């Protein structure tokens, strides 16, 4: 899959950060932005995203709280956290509660972020492929069990 087909949702309450992110990455990826967790949840309900990047410090909900709140309903997207504050407790919470793949400081390094977005998509694609292969394997096993039972009965 080309990078242009990677769908990213970026959430930040600061408009200039959203604009800077979009300007930096819109030619590489399909970037959608949201200014709040509520707006982001509406977007998640409408379309599929491979990667979700959220600012940690937002007015109503932190990035970690947002990730935690969507984990059950949207487990597939790879989650990444951006913050302007070096808060080790936020990093630990992000990993433990929000199942965050990577944590970045603001201002971000464009090359480093691009590299990690590409790696995050690889993880997403491998997880999806693994899920599909597991489902196929379960289906084949059920059919095989059925055939074995039929053979034993006859």
């Amino acid at each position: 899959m080309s990078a242009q087909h990677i769908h990213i949702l970026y959430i930040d309450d600061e408009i200039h950060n959203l604009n800077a992110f979009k300007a930096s990455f819109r030619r590489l990826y399909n970037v959608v932005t949201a200014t709040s967790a509520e707006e982001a949840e509406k977007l998640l309900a409408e379309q599929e995203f491979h990667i979700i990047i959220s600012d940690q410090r937002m007015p109503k909900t932190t990035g970690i709280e947002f990730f935690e709140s969507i984990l059950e309903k949207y487990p597939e997207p790879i989650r990444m956290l951006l913050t302007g504050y070096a808060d080790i407790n936020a990093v630990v919470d992000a990993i433990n509660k929000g199942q965050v793949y990577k944590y970045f400081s603001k201002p971000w390094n464009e090359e480093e972020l691009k590299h990690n977005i590409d790696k995050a998509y690889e993880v997403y694609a491998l997880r999806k492929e693994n899920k599909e292969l597991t489902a196929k394997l379960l289906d084949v096993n059920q059919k095989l069990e059925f055939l074995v039972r039929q053979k034993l009965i006859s």
Side-chain angles (χ1 to χ4, degrees):
M1 178 178 276
S2 75
Q4 193 66 45
H5 290 97
I6 298 174
H7 297 268
I8 299 173
L9 174 58
Y10 177 50
I11 307 115
D12 198 319
D13 61 309
E14 296 179 42
I15 300 293
H16 69 275
N17 285 338
L18 294 174
N19 291 337
F21 186 89
K22 206 162 194 175
S24 296
F25 297 107
R26 73 174 182 263
R27 286 187 182 88
L28 300 170
Y29 311 109
N30 177 7
V31 177
V32 176
T33 58
T35 57
S36 68
E38 296 84 15
E39 186 182 346
E41 278 206 60
K42 287 177 188 159
L43 290 165
L44 282 167
E46 294 168 5
Q47 57 186 297
E48 179 185 0
F49 292 97
H50 305 120
I51 298 166
I52 304 171
I53 301 172
S54 179
D55 180 32
Q56 168 58 8
R57 296 200 179 187
M58 296 183 287
K60 292 180 185 171
T61 308
T62 67
I64 296 163
E65 290 167 346
F66 170 67
F67 286 144
E68 207 177 352
S69 74
I70 64 164
L71 201 50
E72 202 171 301
K73 196 168 184 183
Y74 305 102
E76 290 87 10
I78 303 297
R79 292 163 294 285
M80 298 165 81
L81 192 70
L82 274 172
T83 186
Y85 305 91
D87 180 354
I88 192 65
N89 292 331
V91 176
V92 172
D93 281 351
I95 294 163
N96 293 337
K97 294 180 181 176
Q99 295 185 12
V100 169
Y101 171 75
K102 286 280 184 181
Y103 171 91
F104 296 95
S105 296
K106 286 181 186 176
W108 59 77
N109 172 309
E110 206 169 304
E111 272 308 304
E112 180 188 16
L113 194 51
K114 181 199 174 306
H115 172 75
N116 281 285
I117 286 170
D118 293 342
K119 290 290 172 204
Y121 181 75
E122 284 179 28
V123 170
Y124 173 89
L126 287 170
R127 284 180 184 170
K128 187 171 184 165
E129 183 181 12
N130 190 18
K131 195 174 182 180
E132 290 167 1
L133 289 172
T134 300
K136 285 180 185 174
L137 184 61
L138 288 171
D139 182 52
V140 168
N141 277 344
Q142 286 175 342
K143 289 175 181 167
L144 190 58
E145 283 178 26
F146 175 76
L147 290 173
V148 168
R149 278 196 299 269
Q150 293 298 337
K151 194 79 170 161
L152 291 172
I153 291 170
S154 58

